[in-house]
Amino acid sequence: MKFDKADNFRIRPLRRMVQIAFLLITLWIGIEFAIFVSQLEKGGHPTISRPPGVEAFLPISALISLKYWILTGVFNEIHPSALVVLLIILATAILLKKGFCSWVCPVGWISELLSGLHKIVFGRRENLPRWLDYPLRSLKYLLMFFFVWAVFGQMNLESLRSFIDSPYNRVADIKMLKFFLEMSATTFWVLIILVFLSILIPYFWCRYLCPYGALLGALSWLSPFKIHRHRESCIDCSKCTRVCPSYIDVHKANAVYSDECHSCWRCVDACPVKDTLYFSITRRKIKLTRISYAVLIILFFVLGTALAQITGHWQNSISLDEYRYHIRHLNDSAHGHNRGQVSEYGNSRQYEQQLEK
Ligand code: SF4
Ligand code: SF4
């Protein structure tokens, strides 16, 4: 396996550190939540509290909360941190392009590691031909449009409120945990196929299927920051293009507008001519260094979650008693959904009556 000398140098250790930090936080949240649910299932009093960050894995619920918030000004109390995390991620895309994908998202990192396996297996990077790559890339946009249309185009205020209060939404975090811990054979094989395809075709999930990445890519068009190329000092060596995991022709662009650019900075590191590629607002104006980019993306999450905690938009309003009730009835039809239709939860008095039964 032969890498370009400058490939993945300098920026990689920094990006790795940030990726590892976010991966550890994700694992820690997952383990804490699994212990919390397990202790409740055993009927005991949990020795640890539920980590609100677990709601980061509820993007559909967050999208519904976003529309509800826009229409009513109310930040729902069922999964408030889901909306907080969604807003933070959208904000990073609007300011820093799709940096979330290559600096924060654990799935993005797994895709990157699997693309490394691809290079080991094939000896070099094998790209799909353009005639196949373009239509496949539209798949993630179709998925993204479907979810946005289903929420923003189809749900009225009543259906939004009904979903947010539904038993299904209230236990969506627990159902998501069970989805991974008690994986069905179908889920298992789908994951194996995705891993296999990601080795065969680098970044298969991120490039072709991830609707979240599509949403961030669309928003990244608004970002004032972009990779810029100083044409006068460029020696047309194409090293930037060769290392770009998104197959962008960086050496031909004055500025990289592509929705596929996920701000990995590999092109900047690969460029042999000082100050020829840089991440800036306009050509040579307000440049960001590698460190400042990393600090900014971390700050978005640290300050965003801190602000949510200070303003009371981080912890949800579901009591331990209510969780116990839901866990006992997790497999009831009332806690499931049928083609997006959810059962009514009822008002709090009805819930108290259900608890008393
Ligand atoms: S253009 Fe540069 S920053 Fe963007 S994806 Fe390609 S290598 Fe990464
Ligand atoms: S790596 Fe730098 S010098 Fe080479 S083509 Fe790209 S921008 Fe120009």
Side-chain angles (χ1 to χ4, degrees):
M1 184 174 54
K2 185 171 177 292
F3 283 106
D4 192 298
K5 185 167 146 261
D7 183 18
N8 314 328
F9 210 58
R10 290 181 292 179
I11 197 71
R12 178 166 270 191
L14 182 61
R15 207 157 53 80
R16 275 289 176 271
M17 279 193 287
V18 178
Q19 285 174 314
I20 289 170
F22 277 101
L23 179 70
L24 290 177
I25 291 169
T26 306
L27 288 175
W28 172 57
I29 286 172
I31 292 168
E32 260 200 339
F33 187 59
I35 295 171
F36 170 81
V37 172
S38 155
Q39 290 180 337
L40 279 180
E41 281 174 333
K42 288 174 184 152
H45 189 84
T47 52
I48 52 173
S49 55
R50 172 187 173 277
V54 76
E55 293 171 18
F57 291 89
L58 306 175
I60 308 296
S61 182
L63 207 57
I64 288 169
S65 298
L66 176 62
K67 182 174 178 187
Y68 187 74
W69 182 48
I70 291 169
L71 290 182
T72 64
V74 176
F75 225 87
N76 83 76
E77 295 183 345
I78 306 304
H79 294 308
S81 52
L83 179 53
V84 169
V85 174
L86 176 69
L87 290 173
I88 291 172
I89 294 172
L90 298 185
T92 62
I94 291 170
L95 188 68
L96 300 172
K97 290 191 72 79
K98 271 170 65 176
F100 172 78
C101 300
S102 59
W103 290 76
V104 178
C105 179
V107 180
W109 188 18
I110 292 170
S111 285
E112 192 177 336
L113 295 176
L114 293 175
S115 79
L117 267 181
H118 169 95
K119 282 182 188 167
I120 292 171
V121 172
F122 294 97
R124 65 193 180 107
R125 192 174 66 179
E126 297 286 350
N127 305 342
L128 283 187
R130 299 249 173 196
W131 62 265
L132 186 56
D133 181 58
Y134 279 119
L136 282 180
R137 271 166 55 190
S138 64
L139 285 178
K140 66 176 183 288
Y141 281 100
L142 287 176
L143 285 168
M144 186 266 280
F145 281 127
F146 169 75
F147 288 121
V148 171
W149 166 80
V151 173
F152 281 84
Q154 295 296 298
M155 295 182 81
N156 58 26
L157 195 52
E158 195 185 334
S159 54
L160 290 170
R161 198 175 288 132
S162 170
F163 181 91
I164 288 168
D165 276 338
S166 68
Y168 173 77
N169 188 45
R170 284 171 183 257
V171 295
D173 47 359
I174 302 176
K175 285 194 173 268
M176 184 265 303
L177 178 76
K178 300 281 178 194
F179 177 82
F180 287 107
L181 291 186
E182 298 166 13
M183 201 177 283
S184 69
T186 310
T187 307
F188 174 79
W189 284 112
V190 167
L191 288 180
I192 293 291
I193 290 168
L194 283 175
V195 167
F196 175 74
L197 285 172
S198 298
I199 296 172
L200 199 63
I201 304 164
Y203 296 90
F204 181 82
W205 169 260
C206 300
R207 191 167 175 84
Y208 301 124
L209 292 180
C210 180
Y212 219 135
L215 182 59
L216 300 186
L219 286 176
S220 74
W221 274 84
L222 302 173
S223 171
F225 281 102
K226 286 169 187 59
I227 297 285
H228 283 91
R229 183 178 64 103
H230 190 234
R231 215 172 30 190
E232 288 72 21
S233 57
C234 173
I235 56 171
D236 285 326
C237 66
S238 304
K239 286 186 175 179
C240 47
T241 297
R242 288 206 299 276
V243 298
C244 176
S246 299
Y247 317 134
I248 297 167
D249 288 335
V250 187
H251 71 292
K252 292 180 185 166
N254 291 331
V256 175
Y257 286 90
S258 171
D259 56 313
E260 295 295 339
C261 173
H262 43 79
S263 304
C264 65
W265 287 63
R266 284 191 192 190
C267 53
V268 180
D269 268 0
C271 181
V273 186
K274 193 167 183 290
D275 284 341
T276 296
L277 276 183
Y278 39 86
F279 195 77
S280 64
I281 286 194
T282 55
R283 294 186 72 196
R284 294 184 178 257
K285 294 261 171 59
I286 316 186
K287 280 197 230 174
L288 281 187
T289 62
R290 295 160 175 81
I291 289 282
S292 53
Y293 187 90
V295 168
L296 263 180
I297 208 149
I298 293 168
L299 273 182
F300 263 96
F301 283 86
V302 172
L303 296 182
T305 52
L307 185 67
Q309 289 179 42
I310 291 166
T311 56
H313 295 111
W314 189 240
Q315 299 282 352
N316 72 9
S317 62
I318 302 177
S319 67
L320 282 181
D321 277 345
E322 186 179 345
Y323 267 120
R324 287 193 184 94
Y325 170 81
H326 289 310
I327 283 173
R328 282 202 305 275
H329 297 86
L330 203 58
N331 296 319
D332 291 1
S333 58
H335 284 79
H337 74 85
N338 184 16
R339 294 173 185 270
Q341 298 300 311
V342 292
S343 304
E344 290 282 338
Y345 187 72
N347 58 35
S348 59
R349 183 66 203 133
Q350 281 173 312
Y351 159 65
E352 285 165 15
Q353 286 166 354
Q354 284 173 321
L355 259 184
E356 283 160 11
K357 280 182 190 173

